[in-house]
Structure formats: structure tokens, C-alpha cells
């Protein structure tokens, strides 16, 4: 009821949710292939976890993962035609850099709770340290393998702050429009074309 209107995409089918208790870590995952599914760990984050700023753990987790479903599951154009013939195997939005995929989910996990990593004091500290150390990550660094501190968390840290800024400046319809455009693409990896059609600028220019 909340995320479908915000993402401007209705998957038209239920999402299968598997809840597991075989890990001591707090995490989850989601994929639109071969059908919409989410896997959630029941373990809540500890106090010093990057996920530790939450009001309701399952609410934040489900919001984050379902954002992935509505984002990466937005498939149209030739990809949808191909999927109808061979089964769902193509999801163009899943080929976007992780800072877009994870950053967008962090934005929504924070919008629909009083917690979330946009509000995380730990995330703020990491970004502040990069600013004070004149060590802000370049766009190519967060688009690649994240080979420096905070490693995999760079996708979530920089992606969420960057997409929050884009949304604040260009409006909340921006990323749903980009998602719809890229989900219909026939040329892979042309992420700048999709954002330029919506904002008039490429990610490099925006960054």
C-alpha cells in the first residue's frame, strides 16, 4: 500500500517470503528471478551493527527488500517479451551498480520508519570522516568493488546519500521514472542515458 504508489510499479503478483533462522547475522535478500521472492533472517542487528538504527526490525527489513522487488522487478520492453517465452531470466534493473540498487532501498527503509541508515549515526560518522580526511569516494570507486573502507557498506552509504540528494532536488518521481526507463532498455549498462532522460544530467554530472 505504501511502496507500490511510491515506486509507481505494481508487480501484479504476490511476493514469496521465506523466513529463516539459520544465521546469527541480521540480513535479507530479494530477487525477481525466477519469481518475486524475499528471504529474511529473523536475527535482529546488534547495537554496533550498521543496521542498528531501527524502530521495528522486520518493518525496516521488509521495506528494504520489497523496494528491491519493485525496483529490479520492473521489467518491460524486449526483456519482458523474452521472459514470456523462456521464463523470467532477464531483469535489466538488476544490472545497475549496487549503489543504485542498495541506495534506493536504504532511502525507502528510512522514509517509512523512524530509523533506517539515512538516520544512522554510524553512517554519518563514516561519511564525515571521509569529508574531513578529504577522501570522498569517487563515483567509479562506489561503482566497482569497493576496495576501501567501509568496503561493501560504501554502496549503501554513498548510494543512499546520493539518491536522497537527487530525490530532494529533482522530486520523488525521479527514481521510479529511471527504474521504468531502465527496465525497458535493450542496451545494457546505459545507466547515464536513463537518468539523463529524467533529470537532463548524467550521474557523473550530478555526482
Amino acid at each position: 500500500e505504501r511502496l507500490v504508489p511510491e515506486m509507481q510499479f505494481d508487480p501484479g503478483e504476490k511476493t514469496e517470503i521465506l523466513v529463516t533462522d539459520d544465521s546469527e547475522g541480521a540480513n535479507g535478500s530479494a530477487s525477481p528471478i525466477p519469481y518475486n521472492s524475499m528471504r529474511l533472517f529473523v536475527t535482529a542487528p546488534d547495537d554496533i551493527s550498521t543496521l542498528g538504527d531501527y524502530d521495528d526490525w522486520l518493518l525496516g527489513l521488509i521495506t528494504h527488500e520489497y523496494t528491491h522487488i519493485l525496483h529490479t522487478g520492473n521489467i518491460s520492453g524486449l526483456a519482458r517479451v523474452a521472459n514470456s517465452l523462456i521464463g523470467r531470466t532477464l531483469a535489466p534493473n538488476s544490472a545497475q551498480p549496487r549503489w543504485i540498487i542498495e541506495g534506493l532501498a536504504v532511502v525507502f527503509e528510512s522514509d517509512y520508519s523512524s530509523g533506517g541508515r539515512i538516520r544512522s549515526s554510524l553512517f554519518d560518522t563514516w561519511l564525515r570522516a571521509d569529508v574531513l580526511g578529504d577522501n570522498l569516494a569517487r563515483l567509479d570507486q562506489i561503482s566497482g568493488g569497493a576496495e576501501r573502507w567501509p568496503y561493501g557498506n560504501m554502496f549503501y552509504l554513498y548510494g543512499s546519500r546520493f539518491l536522497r540528494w537527487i530525490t530532494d532536488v529533482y522530486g520523488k518521481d525521479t527514481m521510479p521514472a529511471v527504474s521504468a526507463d531502465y527496465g525497458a532498455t535493450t542496451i545494457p549498462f546505459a545507466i547515464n542515458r536513463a537518468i539523463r532522460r529524467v533529470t537532463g544530467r548524467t550521474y557523473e554530472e550530478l555526482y
Side-chain angles (χ1 to χ4, degrees), residues 40-125:
L40 312 178
F41 297 168
V42 298
T43 306
D46 57 44
D47 291 341
I48 60 172
S49 168
T50 58
L51 300 169
D53 195 329
Y54 65 90
D55 51 9
D56 181 308
W57 166 236
L58 283 178
L59 172 65
L61 180 62
I62 292 171
T63 301
H64 182 101
E65 301 302 340
Y66 194 58
T67 300
H68 287 327
I69 295 295
L70 298 178
H71 177 204
T72 61
N74 190 335
I75 305 166
S76 59
L78 290 179
R80 183 165 62 184
V81 173
N83 287 342
S84 68
L85 297 174
I86 62 176
R88 191 184 297 176
T89 56
L90 301 176
N93 278 310
S94 294
Q96 291 178 318
R98 283 191 65 196
W99 63 262
I100 297 178
I101 296 173
E102 299 297 351
L104 185 61
V106 170
V107 168
F108 278 103
E109 84 183 29
S110 305
D111 281 351
Y112 287 100
S113 73
S114 61
R117 279 166 279 191
I118 288 287
R119 298 184 180 87
S120 168
S121 58
L122 181 59
F123 263 37
D124 282 346
T125 298

Side-chain angles (χ1 to χ4, degrees), residues 26-42:
N27 212 334
S29 60
S31 176
I33 297 173
Y35 54 84
N36 293 338
S37 62
M38 293 160 36
R39 182 185 181 193
L40 312 178
F41 297 168
V42 298

Side-chain angles (χ1 to χ4, degrees), residues 20-26 41-43:
T20 61
D21 191 17
D22 58 357
S23 171
E24 295 300 317
F41 297 168
V42 298
T43 306

